Amino acid sequence: MAVTKIHAIKNSVPAAIKYIMNPEKTDGQLLVSGYNCDPIFGATEFAMTQELAREVKGDYRKTGGNEIKAFHLIQSFAPDDDLTFEQAHDIGKKLASEVVQSEHEYVIATHIDKGHIHNHIIFNSVSFFTHKKFRSQPYKTAAKIRAINDRLCTENKLQVLDFKRELKNSYKKYQKYKKNTSYRSEIRKRLNYVLETEMDYASFLEKSALLGVSLKETEKHITYMMREQGQERGTRDTKLSDNDTYTKNGIEERLNKNKDTIPYLEDAIKKSFEQATTWEDFDSYLKENFQVTYRKNREGLVTYMMDDVDGTKVKERALKIAYHQENLETVIGESYDFVMDESEQDYREVYENQVHTVIEEIDTEIVLDDQTIDEITPDGILINIQDGALEGKIFLDSRQIDFDQETNKYTAHIGDKFSYYFNEKGIENQQGKEFLRGEQLIRSIEKAQGVQGKELQLYDNMVKSISEKGTTLSFPDKGIDSLFIPSEYMRVTQLDKKLHVSVYENWNYYYREPLAPDAAPDKKAPLLHIKGSDLIQLIETQTPSFELSLANKVNMMHGRQTLQGTKKLADMLLTIREEDIQGMKDVEMKIHALLGSVQGAREEIKKLETAIVEYNQVAKYLVAYNKYLPTKLEVDQSKLKKAKLQHKFKGELASFHHAEKELEKRGIHTNVDVDKVVQLVKSNQQTLQEIKHTMEEQNERLTYYRDMKQTIERINYQQIPHENQQENNRKNEVDR
């Protein structure tokens, strides 16, 4: 089973690629490949793509920031893995393609000079397709890569066990480490909060201390501690992130970025506000003159976005209070000094009001049956999962599993909030769904294994509300104000209006606490949980109440369902009349036509995506050619210093000649207007989004007509017995 690690490259990409392509390590470079680039010119291609991205998206490097040029992914196989060099190389290519979703150039080299085979994969930080940067998130990116890697290795039968036995690690051994990992998550959360607003190292230290995070610095590392939270062992900076976000250099780079970005944004807001007479004007000036947009979440918190390659985002709380929108909106079009006393509210109190800080995750024990298990390896178990339309495999690490030798069974300990990366199989239009949350995984496994919930009758005093979507339970004396159970697990008997729910012992159910008198609802307040077994006990021990309120709620729900059904039927009848639908055949023709349109849109999307890739390549080479043409002319026109200039501009000249060669290969003249090609790239991207949007609308319409077909079939089916009964009545009348 291979292991993986990833780190960012900020300095010399050419040197990194040169190292991994070493002929002595790669069987004379026979084990070297490139995706969407020639490996020899890999670094050049990366730089060209980044230059094109700046042409298309805008260049905001002057605002500072972390200029990650590429990422270096290493995949190391175990010495006793039974695989050839070529197989290892092929597995590495599959890993790279899945990680970057085939949208970033990469160079892969398989090294065979040591006791174990390992792949080096260097991929561009910028996508050649979308021109966006690869987002590396602490732990999430590493976890996703590991999940893909483990699945690929298991599918290729690397270190697969022929019989059940103890795995390399276990859940019990992992608990101490896992506790420390929870502190890592909390430290990151608090440091991120500070790094969003501060602009110098002294204030960073001060604010971190206010949030309970202490720092111990050495020449090489920073060690973080949260003693007041009970942390006994410090966490090193490099253990908090896949890149150097929390190292001294990374922190200083972020603070310097804030030092440039925050004043720049405040200046943009001020100038746009001074020109505007309405809020719509303000939005327009901000976007057109400074390429800045913003969005508000449900709580009204504002985040500003700079439309650049790095996707720079600044939360409004990083700005001075005078620049907050709640203060600007009331005086738009009037004179405003942008001066206001800053709040002296306690920093820790503000943080705790804005960010949920409780370290909590619930692990649920699930015994895996043989049908669920796909493969067993020393490092973990690959399981088969079906969740709705999704079907595929998820790898469970050995640290999440215990083996019982007496029962010969594996027990998985699944964290309810943990992300388990999912290998989808043959699923379309899932909008990039890549993982299942732990609680969802628990439920999927138990459903697949035939586990049944316990059906319980509910009474008036337990039910807060009931609707077509489900029922909300309330047990105020137990601190539960609202606990929702979906309609899928709800059953109503029509005659006596009794309400039953199915509750599963191993599932986690989430609820909100009752509010204090006169307290405003807090949407950000964390949900609490109760185990299914405890919820069953709670319901069973409640004293039944036999009021009429539950029957009334059920009747109201049935009334709403009838009304919705009537409205839905009326809408369908209106459609039938407006579109002159004469019968089922016409509905089926509509469905057939929409299926053809959707399929046509899919084909058009594929063609356009292929065209976008090629247009991007051409634009990339044209941008590079034009950028380095003055350098080439300067060198050619020089007589005395030509050799010296050739050496000085060696990299630029290599890029120029490579771009020239690639354009010639494609039959593209170098006089082509690069601005027009760049505009064509933008236009194609916009067209692609429009086609995708149209296809979504067509899919919605397709669902509507399929629903119409089912409704007509149901009505016809219900009418048949009635018509037969009428015919029987006529026959009986004749007989009499």
Side-chain angles (χ1 to χ4, degrees), residues 333-510:
E334 301 176 12
S335 177
Y336 186 68
D337 293 333
F338 285 91
V339 176
M340 190 176 292
D341 291 336
E342 293 295 307
S343 171
E344 295 184 1
Q345 190 174 359
D346 181 79
Y347 190 76
R348 178 69 169 268
E349 182 182 342
V350 174
Y351 170 77
E352 290 179 347
N353 286 337
Q354 293 185 359
V355 183
H356 174 39
T357 62
V358 176
I359 304 172
E360 181 181 30
E361 185 172 282
I362 311 155
D363 286 337
T364 297
E365 295 184 5
I366 300 291
V367 178
L368 303 176
D369 65 16
D370 292 344
Q371 296 299 317
T372 302
I373 297 173
D374 186 82
E375 297 283 0
I376 303 170
T377 76
D379 293 280
I381 295 176
L382 191 68
I383 62 173
N384 297 308
I385 287 296
Q386 184 166 358
D387 185 77
L390 295 172
E391 181 183 359
K393 300 173 184 178
I394 285 176
F395 190 85
L396 300 179
D397 192 279
S398 61
R399 294 174 297 182
Q400 299 170 275
I401 298 169
D402 284 326
F403 178 65
D404 189 328
Q405 293 183 341
E406 293 184 4
T407 62
N408 202 35
K409 293 286 186 181
Y410 290 104
T411 299
H413 299 258
I414 299 174
D416 69 319
K417 296 181 180 68
F418 193 78
S419 299
Y420 292 86
Y421 286 92
F422 199 103
N423 171 38
E424 297 172 89
K425 185 168 65 178
I427 304 299
E428 292 188 44
N429 301 321
Q430 291 297 325
Q431 297 181 341
K433 184 172 182 179
E434 299 171 330
F435 61 86
L436 292 181
R437 287 294 183 196
E439 183 60 34
Q440 197 175 354
L441 179 59
I442 292 166
R443 300 184 179 197
S444 295
I445 293 175
E446 290 216 328
K447 285 181 183 178
Q449 295 185 166
V451 176
Q452 297 295 319
K454 185 169 185 179
E455 186 169 272
L456 304 164
Q457 182 178 343
L458 301 179
Y459 297 94
D460 297 71
N461 57 327
M462 306 177 196
V463 180
K464 186 174 184 178
S465 64
I466 180 173
S467 71
E468 305 76 38
K469 295 181 180 179
T471 181
T472 300
L473 310 187
S474 181
F475 306 94
D477 58 326
K478 301 297 181 182
I480 298 175
D481 177 67
S482 54
L483 185 154
F484 183 74
I485 295 180
S487 58
E488 179 184 354
Y489 308 103
M490 182 177 79
R491 183 174 68 87
V492 178
T493 53
Q494 298 294 331
L495 293 177
D496 54 13
K497 309 299 182 186
K498 289 182 179 179
L499 174 62
H500 299 79
V501 291
S502 293
V503 180
Y504 291 73
E505 291 188 0
N506 277 332
W507 295 9
N508 299 295
Y509 295 84
Y510 301 89

Side-chain angles (χ1 to χ4, degrees), residues 172-226:
K172 292 176 182 177
K173 294 176 185 177
Y174 185 54
Q175 287 313 289
K176 291 183 179 179
Y177 175 81
K178 189 175 181 182
K179 182 179 179 182
N180 199 44
T181 302
S182 297
Y183 287 115
R184 293 181 188 178
S185 175
E186 188 63 29
I187 289 171
R188 281 198 303 272
K189 192 184 299 182
R190 298 184 183 209
L191 293 179
N192 287 341
Y193 187 84
V194 176
L195 287 171
E196 286 172 357
T197 60
E198 303 311 306
M199 291 184 278
D200 63 77
Y201 197 70
S203 60
F204 166 77
L205 293 175
E206 176 190 353
K207 297 296 173 59
S208 297
L210 289 174
L211 297 185
V213 180
S214 61
L215 285 71
K216 181 180 178 181
E217 297 183 49
T218 65
E219 291 184 5
K220 293 184 177 180
H221 295 287
I222 298 176
T223 300
Y224 297 94
M225 283 281 286
M226 292 182 61

Side-chain angles (χ1 to χ4, degrees), residues 52-116:
L52 172 62
R54 285 188 279 270
E55 288 285 335
V56 174
K57 306 283 285 184
D59 184 1
Y60 285 83
R61 286 177 297 174
K62 62 180 180 292
T63 63
N66 220 3
E67 197 60 30
I68 296 174
K69 298 176 181 177
F71 288 89
H72 188 169
L73 170 59
I74 302 173
Q75 180 188 38
S76 301
F77 297 92
D80 50 350
D81 273 334
D82 183 19
L83 79 167
T84 65
F85 302 153
E86 291 75 17
Q87 285 175 325
H89 192 73
D90 185 58
I91 292 172
K93 287 196 289 187
K94 290 178 180 177
L95 172 66
S97 293
E98 288 199 40
V99 169
V100 302
Q101 298 182 333
S102 299
E103 290 187 354
H104 296 246
E105 297 111 335
Y106 66 77
V107 176
I108 176 173
T110 302
H111 285 195
I112 58 175
D113 59 321
K114 295 184 178 179
H116 64 285

Side-chain angles (χ1 to χ4, degrees), residues 303-314:
T303 300
Y304 286 93
M305 294 152 292
M306 299 180 182
D307 187 20
D308 62 0
V309 176
D310 293 324
T312 304
K313 297 180 181 179
V314 178

